[in-house]
């Protein structure tokens, strides 16, 4: 009962915070107090056997709403419960390609110049239906005099009917807070952080941006879904939905809200978030319903044709061996699908299973931390060494961020050691001369298996910002294909081979010495980076 009460406390605080939509400063203060109280409680719990109850206190696995289908492949894989939350896309593994390097990512992203493509469409004899939709974050895209907005303006001015540029502005940055927080720092309040690249029926999911370093020496993860029309349609609709609740860039560099839409920072916050929730959830629910109908038609039609005849006639698709689940996290809009799925996967990972988890910014939420420390699977966590952190060498306060991550890493390592879990939970630091590290996601190896059957890949970092502040998207890939499992395994091995094991001696190195002021400030600001 004591453990259950301790877990319920932060939930009550969050509900109270939800009643203060118009008081962001007070909400932020209460949030910090809540986090500090929660950390004290969790610290006491980690020093006691109560932590072993962490799996029992976590959300139960979402129940399958209908009996498993024994007539088709989807009925046999153990992760089918995810389709109760999001659409399930069954594909052939031959349409999934795992990329390994920034250079490979760049080569795939290289297409004909966008402007020349638009020119050709205008010169065509028949009207072109070519449309370009670009979704950026308002604060990050407007930073400095030369930015994403100024870069896209000429394109928007020349092709106003075919190009749409949407700038998402978090509803949490408003009022006096918006006026006082300077550039760069205002991005900590919340971002549009999804990294999805769509070309016709092709989709690239990644954590990578499109700036120079991501094409040269900044290591990330990337997956290419080729000729997957339903998945491309889903993400197109998702981008359009977030675009509709964003500000629209005009040819004169002004912005305005879509007609009839609540303004994200001038309008009522609660009304805006409700409208945004409905717009995004309509996309998720309608795609989920479409996929259920498609599944029924594909595998349970009334046709008496044989499988071979139906396939030859184009009426029935080959049975998939891989399933794609889009996981969306938009906590400002009360959408937390990715959080639910991630916590459930960590909870359900049985003894003997192995979880390889990687993040460029090691700052796990308390819930994820408790599950890693309190569950039964083996964990190998890959994180950036200070030298490959993207903020390493930055000017001003930002230059201290790598040291703050070292402080968080050391605290977690001490928690692992205090519980005697060093053999089950291992930390590794990525290092590569002249490179930075931005890869995030996980690979799940079931007990007794040498290959992963599931991976998460996309934009979330497993930290507080990813869960609570930013708009995030990733996909869960579940596969029975040994060839694709080999691709995922090789991807994991390539990343981990460039790492070294973390031990108590790691924190004695000169580069791991953290100044006192950084230690004092980190608990106050860790929820913002």
């Amino acid at each position: 009962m004591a453990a259950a009460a301790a877990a319920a406390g932060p939930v009550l605080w969050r509900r109270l915070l939800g009643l203060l939509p118009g008081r962001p400063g007070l909400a932020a203060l209460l949030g910090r107090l809540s986090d500090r109280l929660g950390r004290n409680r969790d610290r006491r719990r980690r020093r006691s056997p109560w932590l072993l109850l962490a799996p029992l206190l976590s959300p139960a696995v979402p129940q399958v709403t209908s009996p498993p289908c024994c007539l088709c492949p989807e009925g046999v894989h153990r992760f089918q419960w995810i389709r109760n939350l999001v659409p399930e896309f069954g594909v052939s593994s031959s349409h999934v390609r795992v990329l390994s390097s920034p250079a490979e990512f760049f080569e795939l992203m290289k297409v004909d110049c966008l402007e020349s493509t638009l020119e050709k469409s205008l010169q065509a004899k028949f009207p072109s239906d070519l449309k370009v939709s670009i979704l950026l974050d308002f604060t990050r895209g407007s930073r400095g005099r030369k930015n994403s907005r100024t870069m896209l303006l000429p394109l928007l001015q020349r092709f106003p009917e075919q190009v749409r540029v949407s700038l998402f502005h978090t509803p949490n940055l408003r009022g006096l807070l918006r006026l006082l927080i300077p550039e760069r720092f205002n991005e900590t309040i919340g971002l549009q952080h999804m990294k999805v690249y769509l070309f016709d029926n092709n989709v690239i999911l990644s954590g990578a941006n499109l700036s120079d370093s991501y094409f040269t020496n900044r290591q990330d993860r990337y997956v290419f879904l080729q000729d997957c029309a339903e998945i491309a349609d889903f993400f197109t609709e998702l981008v359009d939905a977030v675009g509709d609740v964003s500000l629209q860039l005009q040819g004169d560099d002004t912005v305005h809200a879509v007609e009839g839409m609540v303004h994200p920072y001038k309008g009522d916050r609660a009304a805006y978030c409700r409208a945004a929730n409905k717009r995004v959830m309509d996309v998720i629910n309608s795609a989920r319903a479409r996929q259920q109908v498609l599944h029924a038609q594909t595998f349970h039609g009334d046709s008496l044709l044989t499988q071979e005849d139906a396939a030859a006639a184009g009426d029935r698709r080959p049975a998939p061996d891989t399933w794609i689940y889009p996981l969306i996290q938009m906590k400002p809009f009360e959408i937390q699908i990715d959080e639910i799925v991630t916590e459930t996967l960590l909870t359900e990972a049985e003894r003997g299973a192995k979880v390889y988890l990687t993040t460029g910014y090691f700052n796990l939420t308390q819930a994820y931390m408790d599950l890693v420390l309190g569950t039964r699977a083996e964990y190998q966590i890959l994180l950036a060494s200070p030298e490959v952190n993207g903020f390493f060498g930055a000017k001003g306060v930002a230059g201290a961020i790598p040291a703050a991550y070292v402080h968080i890493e050391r605290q977690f390592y001490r928690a692992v050691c205090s519980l005697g879990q060093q053999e089950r939970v291992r930390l590794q630091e990525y290092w590569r001369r002249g490179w930075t590290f931005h890869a995030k996601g996980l690979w799940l190896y079931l007990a007794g298996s040498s290959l992963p059957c599931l991976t998460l890949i996309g934009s979330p970092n497993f930290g507080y910002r990813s869960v609570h502040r930013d708009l995030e998207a990733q996909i869960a890939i579940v596969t029975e294909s040994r060839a694709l499992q080999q691709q995922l395994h090789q991807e994991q091995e390539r990343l981990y081979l460039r790492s070294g094991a973390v031990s108590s001696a790691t924190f004695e190195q000169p580069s791991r010495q953290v100044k006192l002021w950084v230690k004092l400030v980190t608990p106050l600001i860790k929820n913002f980076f």
Side-chain angles (χ1 to χ4, degrees), residues 21 27 46 87 143 210 257-258 266 329 367 453 455 458 465 489 494 520:
R46 281 201 294 274
R143 183 204 301 171
L210 298 183
V258 171
K266 293 180 180 177
Q329 184 75 10
C453 63
T455 191
R465 274 190 61 178
H489 177 66
R494 278 192 297 267
L520 294 175

Side-chain angles (χ1 to χ4, degrees), residues 28 59 69 75 115 127 185 205 235 237 330 336 359 407 459 500 507 515:
C69 174
E115 188 166 353
F185 292 96
L205 264 294
F235 279 107
E237 292 173 10
M330 300 179 179
Q336 52 196 93
T359 174
H407 182 56
S459 63
F507 302 101
K515 295 179 180 179

